[in-house]
Amino acid sequence: MNIRKEALEHWSAEDSAELYGIRNWGNGYFDVADDGGLVVSPFPGNNAPTVNLLDVVNGIKDRGMNMPVLLRVSNILDSQIKLLHSSFRRAIKQTGYQGVYKGVFPIKVNQQQQVIEEITRFGREFHHGLEAGSKAELIAALGTLHDREACLVCNGYKDEEFIDLALYACKLGMQCIMVVEMLSELPAIIERSRVLDIKPLIGIRMKLSTRATGQWAESGGDRSVFGLNTSELIETVDLLRKEGMLDCLKLLHYHIGSQIPNIRDIRAGVLEASRVYAGLVQEGAAMGYLDLGGGLAVDYDGSHTNYHQSRNYTLDEYCVDVIDTVAETLNGYKIEHPTIITESGRATIAYYSVLLFNILDATRFEPPQVPEAVPDGVSEMTKDLLQTLKNINQKNLQECFHDAIYYRDELRILFKNGRISLRERGLAENAFWHIMVMINKGVKKLKYVPDEFEALDSALADIYYANFSVFQSLPDAWAIKQLFPIMPIHRLNERPTRNAIISDITCDCDGKIEQFVDLHDVRKTLPLHELRENEEYYLAAFLVGAYQETLGDLHNLLGDTNVVSITISQESGRFEIVKELEGDSVADVLSYVEYNPQALRDSFKRNAERAVREKLITPAERKVIMTAFEDGIRGYTYFER
Ligand SMILES: *Cc1c(COP(=O)(O)O)cnc(C)c1O
């Protein structure tokens, strides 16, 4: 009665927006349209044009590319960079700060050539620079950055080659700042700069005693592996003074960690760093730059709390807090306000990429019917279990739950001891799951849900098989239980009637997603629509632009996905595909693990030829089989249809 009524009740796109929390985590870029489509709009403000993601998927498929596809929306990156700078500008104006803000993008957060190129292009008007943490990243930065007013901050351990490259960059007029991570790097920097006769721009990375809470708490604090402690800072200053190079010491840097959910930790870090900055100025260092590292968090679950997958502050609050703290602290020393640098990676790039995928199949949790009459010859225990099924009502849910578990466990023991038949065990398990389904329905009507029922939802959930690999495309969902918002991109004006978990197509039991975003908690299941015959069902995982691409791996030899980049025209509201990168073929991934595809082909041909010789197949059949092998080796590593 209740269920039927629910099904008849109207369900609107608005209901879906609320259910999936899209306006909480979407940062204004994603929304649900009245026709039930998920739309993307990279332009802030009302009446901005939107593009329906299903149209994008169809456009991609019409051009002959298959799902899964990593979609990059260039304008979102553009907007995020503008937002960051306009927020800092507002904060600077509001607080009367005397310095300026310059951002750098840490390359490690998304190293893809297109991304780094777009960051320098979109960031040009703000002199947005890059941060490199290794030689390879430095070389990528040197080849991409053309803006001489933008900073190129070099973190990471530096050998002579690294130092020389950074010095040459200075000679070319670039603002290439070498940040000393370890005391032992300094003599090498001094020596190379003498040898090459190039004046270096030197920064130092400090260890903060401030520790942030959250997932990456270990990156900061006294025990952090990076940076100099206070006595090493003093040693650095003394050495530079002795060498007559205190005028080269320009920048103080720290990085407490990524995804800092609590604004208090951010403020505490800035405060401590401002005092150290003041100390260095008092020591006679030139200074001029204060680099606050990364840590600006993304509100993945949309809860706006200090939960580690969220943040309890807005971008504007972050900027005001940072600027205000620096200004106030330094005013106390009558020290000139420095140029503020942040190395925001995650917050800049997360919204930019969306993983689009289709559902291949679903298994539904529905135990077969239990016979009305108790079959002859079954044990007392089974009879009790069947009786429990008959007795369930809204008042005895907990009692029936405990009884059922007890009977099921006892029956398992009886089976192991050879006392009941396989058929009886089958009947008992069926009855058990029926009881669980009924209890779960009853639980939904309770005002207060006892803890023991919490696992029921996921135990009884459908499994939706998704055409992607968690390990390749959402590695942090597996490695550190990172939450990414996931939802259907169409049919959002229909009530989702199923509750599911998502399984990927690797054969790994960890290749699944059982945690979903929710305002108050973490959901164990995701409401989804019933699959329809002959119709694709598409989902998307959002906010996947940071860290996921290069951390992904070849588990089960599922390779890189296709990548499609679009830009959306603010005038026409139409999207244009600006770049396509075909994902790995089977031959590609095999060669990564040292196979030679040609040798495999030849070797398989020998198997086929032997079968011809032995008259298992005809030569014509050999041709068909070899063609299938050939298609396979050239094909996409994901499910194609
Ligand atoms: C990783 C890293 C960043 C990026 O941090 P986000 O939290 O992604 O902004 C910035 N600076 C350094 C030194 C890093 O190691």
Side-chain angles (χ1 to χ4, degrees), residues 106 108-109 131 155 205 253 255 258-259 294-295 343-346 547:
K108 78 156 194 271
V109 183
E131 183 265 359
N155 292 318
R205 177 165 184 170
H253 166 252
H255 174 67
S258 198
Q259 185 67 15
E343 303 176 347
S344 253
R346 183 187 296 278
Y547 298 104

Side-chain angles (χ1 to χ4, degrees), residues 567-596:
T567 59
I568 297 173
S569 154
Q570 191 154 13
E571 288 76 45
S572 70
R574 275 203 290 270
F575 72 91
E576 184 187 335
I577 294 184
V578 288
K579 187 155 178 160
E580 300 162 43
L581 289 169
E582 244 176 80
D584 287 324
S585 68
V586 169
D588 291 335
V589 296
L590 285 171
S591 58
Y592 300 152
V593 287
E594 300 169 16
Y595 288 92
N596 175 338

Side-chain angles (χ1 to χ4, degrees), residues 70 88 155-156 174 199 267 296 530 561 577 611:
L70 185 73
F88 265 110
N155 292 318
M174 298 172 85
K199 202 167 159 180
R267 220 180 296 134
L296 176 57
E530 194 105 38
T561 64
I577 294 184

Side-chain angles (χ1 to χ4, degrees), residues 53-196:
L53 273 187
L54 189 62
D55 293 340
V56 177
V57 167
N58 289 332
I60 290 169
K61 293 194 65 167
D62 289 346
R63 288 166 173 83
M65 262 202 221
N66 272 306
M67 296 294 117
V69 164
L70 185 73
L71 179 74
R72 297 180 181 150
V73 185
S74 293
N75 320 73
I76 289 185
L77 183 52
D78 195 0
S79 289
Q80 280 296 95
I81 292 175
K82 286 200 171 79
L83 262 181
L84 183 66
H85 284 273
S86 58
S87 263
F88 265 110
R89 282 186 178 175
R90 263 198 308 279
I92 282 171
K93 207 161 160 205
Q94 192 180 321
T95 55
Y97 192 79
Q98 255 106 62
V100 296
Y101 167 75
K102 279 191 182 177
V104 294
F105 180 79
I107 296 180
K108 78 156 194 271
V109 183
N110 191 329
Q111 304 98 332
Q112 306 296 321
Q113 189 271 339
Q114 183 199 353
V115 173
I116 300 305
E117 188 274 318
E118 285 183 347
I119 287 193
T120 52
R121 181 150 49 88
F122 300 144
R124 181 106 197 196
E125 56 175 313
F126 311 106
H127 306 303
H128 202 86
L130 295 170
E131 183 265 359
S134 68
K135 246 187 294 188
E137 289 184 357
L138 173 62
I139 286 175
L142 289 174
T144 314
L145 198 61
H146 300 293
D147 179 0
R148 284 196 183 166
E149 284 179 62
C151 292
L152 202 181
V153 176
C154 301
N155 292 318
Y157 301 123
K158 296 160 201 70
D159 60 7
E160 200 175 295
E161 210 175 25
F162 192 132
I163 293 169
D164 284 3
L165 277 172
L167 287 168
Y168 289 137
C170 288
K171 186 147 196 165
L172 298 181
M174 298 172 85
Q175 304 289 318
C176 185
I177 305 168
M178 269 182 281
V179 176
V180 177
E181 302 249 6
M182 286 188 304
L183 208 47
S184 58
E185 290 171 348
L186 192 59
I189 293 173
I190 293 171
E191 192 206 308
R192 292 312 299 166
S193 67
R194 291 266 149 80
V195 171
L196 300 178

